[in-house]
Amino acid sequence: MSWYVIQTKPRKEVQALENLQRQGYHSYCPWITQKKLQRRRWVSSTEPLFPRYLFVELAEGTDNFAPIHSTVGVSAMVRFGNIPARMSDTAISYIMQQEAGLMRGHESNRPDWHPGDELEILDGPMMGLKGIFQKHLGEERVMLLLDLLGKQSRVVLSENLIKAVQ
């Protein structure tokens, strides 16, 4: 048994995975949960770790590869020339272990800022100003240290109004 790489149609990873499993193929799509800023709010988003790709375990010579190409949601089997792309069991095991670690620890929607991180204000009268993160205050408030008129001032803002500087 070997793992093969399947390319899916855009945003059809779940559909392809379900249809492959319904046909009896052992398939796997790794996921990651991360925090994203959407409409000025931090939300937890679960997405495929490798967008448009998933893995299927097949026995060469025994399993029929043909139905995979016509599976709803599947675009193609990844190939190098005429040879289907394989992944080692070690690589898939490592991805599964890493996925478990990535899925844990993101239960909170709160951004992972640490004192000293540089943040930028996204909205309001101070939009565009950059400050230094001091601490979280309550549920959705943070304290920033801003340089205003040549003096450092502490400002309390909603955490939805700021983002990390890239």
Side-chain angles (χ1 to χ4, degrees):
M1 298 286 275
S2 297
W3 288 94
Y4 293 88
V5 183
I6 305 294
Q7 184 178 30
T8 68
K9 293 181 179 171
R11 299 198 163 285
K12 298 293 182 186
E13 296 88 358
V14 173
Q15 184 181 40
L17 185 69
E18 289 173 352
N19 288 323
L20 286 168
Q21 290 173 342
R22 199 173 296 126
Q23 294 176 59
Y25 292 108
H26 181 223
S27 46
Y28 169 61
C29 183
W31 296 87
I32 183 170
T33 299
Q34 53 191 351
K35 295 173 239 165
K36 289 188 167 189
L37 192 62
Q38 291 180 344
R39 296 186 187 126
R40 296 180 13 185
R41 297 201 64 79
W42 289 99
V43 295
S44 189
S45 173
T46 302
E47 302 171 346
L49 184 59
F50 306 111
R52 293 200 63 195
Y53 293 93
L54 54 88
F55 308 100
V56 65
E57 191 174 31
L58 301 166
E60 194 170 348
T62 332
D63 285 329
N64 187 0
F65 287 41
I68 293 173
H69 300 289
S70 59
T71 300
V72 176
V74 170
S75 180
M77 190 168 217
V78 177
R79 296 177 180 274
F80 298 111
N82 290 330
I83 303 167
R86 288 186 184 176
M87 292 286 292
S88 69
D89 288 338
T90 309
I92 295 294
S93 296
Y94 181 76
I95 291 169
M96 288 177 175
Q97 289 171 357
Q98 293 303 309
E99 177 188 19
L102 292 171
M103 294 295 277
R104 283 193 312 269
H106 285 286
E107 289 82 23
S108 167
N109 283 342
R110 175 163 266 188
D112 192 23
W113 295 320
H114 303 287
D117 288 352
E118 187 176 16
L119 304 176
E120 181 179 358
I121 300 173
L122 299 173
D123 200 11
M126 294 184 273
M127 183 171 95
L129 292 178
K130 294 179 177 134
I132 306 299
F133 177 76
Q134 297 295 295
K135 62 182 175 180
H136 287 282
L137 299 171
E139 285 296 310
E140 295 183 357
R141 312 283 293 164
V142 295
M143 182 182 288
L144 291 182
L145 189 60
L146 295 176
D147 192 10
L148 298 172
L149 302 172
K151 179 182 172 191
Q152 290 191 334
S153 304
R154 287 193 171 107
V155 177
V156 177
L157 296 166
S158 169
E159 67 184 21
N160 297 323
L161 297 177
I162 55 178
K163 71 170 186 169
V165 174
Q166 302 295 342

